[in-house]
């Protein structure tokens, strides 16, 4: 049950990072599309981990999926998409630090254990 809770928490926080970045840059990504990206990225990372892949691959594999889905949903020029993605990564990192440190939650970036 804890794994399921952690999975949905990771999907929510990951999707939230996409949504906030899009909101800040006024790209208009709806929350449901941000959650689809979050679900896809977290699911792919969990699947890669379940297959016993090395940690570098678990972290690397979800990136292209998140990038492609964000580009597909936004329908903006590449420069605007790239800026949105960079801001998403920054927000994602900022969310990860307190979650890892205070709540011992490492599912956002599995290989980056801060506490």
């Amino acid at each position: 049950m804890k794994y399921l809770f952690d999975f949905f928490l990771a999907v929510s926080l990951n999707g939230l990072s996409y949504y906030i970045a899009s909101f800040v840059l006024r790209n208009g990504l709806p929350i449901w599309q941000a959650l689809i990206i979050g679900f896809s990225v977290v699911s792919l990372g969990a699947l890669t981990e379940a297959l016993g892949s090395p940690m570098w691959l678990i972290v690397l594999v979800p990136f292209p999926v998140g990038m492609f889905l964000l580009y597909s949903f936004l329908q903006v020029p590449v420069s605007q998409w790239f800026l949105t993605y960079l801001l998403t990564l920054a927000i994602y990192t900022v969310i990860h630090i307190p979650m890892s440190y205070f709540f011992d939650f490492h599912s956002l970036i599995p290989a980056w254990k801060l506490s």
Side-chain angles (χ1 to χ4, degrees):
M1 190 65 159
K2 181 174 175 2
Y3 182 82
L4 191 60
F5 176 78
D6 287 351
F7 177 81
F8 284 114
L9 182 60
V11 168
S12 300
L13 295 174
N14 196 310
L16 185 64
S17 67
Y18 282 94
Y19 180 76
I20 292 170
S22 173
F23 180 78
V24 167
L25 296 175
R26 296 191 174 112
N27 288 332
L29 184 69
I31 189 71
W32 65 271
Q33 288 179 340
L35 289 173
I36 288 173
I37 298 171
F39 180 79
S40 301
V41 167
V42 172
S43 296
L44 188 56
L47 179 62
T48 306
E49 184 177 23
L51 293 173
S53 299
M55 197 55 68
W56 66 268
L57 194 58
I58 295 168
V59 173
L60 183 66
V61 165
F63 276 93
V65 172
M67 294 171 84
F68 173 75
L69 287 174
L70 182 64
Y71 183 74
S72 298
F73 287 147
L74 283 182
Q75 297 181 8
V76 295
V78 172
S79 59
Q80 187 68 21
W81 159 79
F82 188 67
L83 183 61
T84 305
Y85 193 74
L86 288 179
L87 185 57
T88 298
L89 292 178
I91 293 168
Y92 180 85
T93 302
V94 167
I95 290 172
H96 174 73
I97 292 169
M99 290 301 292
S100 180
Y101 185 77
F102 292 112
F103 302 106
D104 198 33
F105 183 77
H106 304 297
S107 294
L108 292 173
I109 305 172
W112 187 16
K113 297 190 179 191
L114 300 175
S115 60

